[in-house]
Amino acid sequence: VAVPFFSAEGWRGLLGAAPWLYVLDNSAVHWLVYNIPAEGLRIPGVLGGIDLNGPLWTLYWEGRMYVMVLVVGMAAVVPMRNWLRGAAVVLLLAANLWPQVLSGYIWELRMWSLFLTGMFLYTIAPSARIGPLHALCALALLGLNWTRNAALLGAGPSWFGIALLAGALALWAGTTRRTVLPHIRRNDYSYGIYIYHWPVLLILRAALPPLAPPALLAATLAVLVPLAVFSWHWVEAPALRWMRRLLRPRRHA
């Protein structure tokens, strides 16, 4: 949509290599390089040459983490000797062929902390109950964190304090057993909102006359929510069902 309607070349731009290289590079999560080059985030002349989807920087970090999940998970399905052999081969290849990948696995502590916390919460999800008391405790800790930063640093709350409260509220909403909005509980539109919001926002900003932030947000949501619903029901959910069928153990007669 952006190339034919919001570039100098118009639809002829689709005949060039740049748009397809952009799609390939993003589909391969930028080959897991540590620093994504600027040309990997934009297409020359499209929407003024700005980054087309800024939030996708997180995807290549997720790719790295899932590689480690695979390596660690091998310990549960293969004998220890074979697991050590396989892990050694993977790490040797990474160290020699993609050294910039291996060096980044250890040092990004904040991202790894969040990812591992998510893994831990997933494993205890059936028994986890986060309620209003936990949210109040998180709010109290945020207050203490805020007063400490204000007194010593002249600053507001740290990112950890904000994440703690936001996480407690999100887990409270996510683990409740009340049947409020059952359709939303059965269908996950959040990923589509994450994937599409940036390009939708940029396209509307280019297509419409200048809008104040609240009006631009309302226009973006009006396009984004139906797009995320469509994406879930016609792209994401069918792909997940297909993958589950593919991975389902086959029963022998």
Side-chain angles (χ1 to χ4, degrees), residues 132-142 164:
L133 181 59
H134 304 87
L136 286 174
C137 290
L139 180 62
L141 291 173
L142 175 63
L164 180 66

Side-chain angles (χ1 to χ4, degrees), residues 56-108:
L56 294 190
W57 72 271
T58 62
L59 290 184
Y60 80 110
W61 277 108
E62 292 181 49
R64 293 164 173 238
M65 294 172 184
Y66 287 131
V67 169
M68 291 304 294
V69 170
L70 174 63
V71 172
V72 173
M74 290 170 58
V77 295
V78 299
M80 179 61 72
R81 184 184 299 274
N82 293 343
W83 178 79
L84 290 174
R85 184 184 300 125
V89 169
V90 170
L91 295 174
L92 280 171
L93 288 174
N96 288 276
L97 299 180
W98 309 290
Q100 71 275 27
V101 174
L102 189 62
S103 65
Y105 275 120
I106 301 173
W107 304 115
E108 298 295 337

Side-chain angles (χ1 to χ4, degrees), residues 25-39:
D25 200 31
N26 279 279
S27 300
V29 288
H30 300 284
W31 315 101
L32 299 184
V33 298
Y34 187 82
N35 290 313
I36 304 175
E39 57 269 21

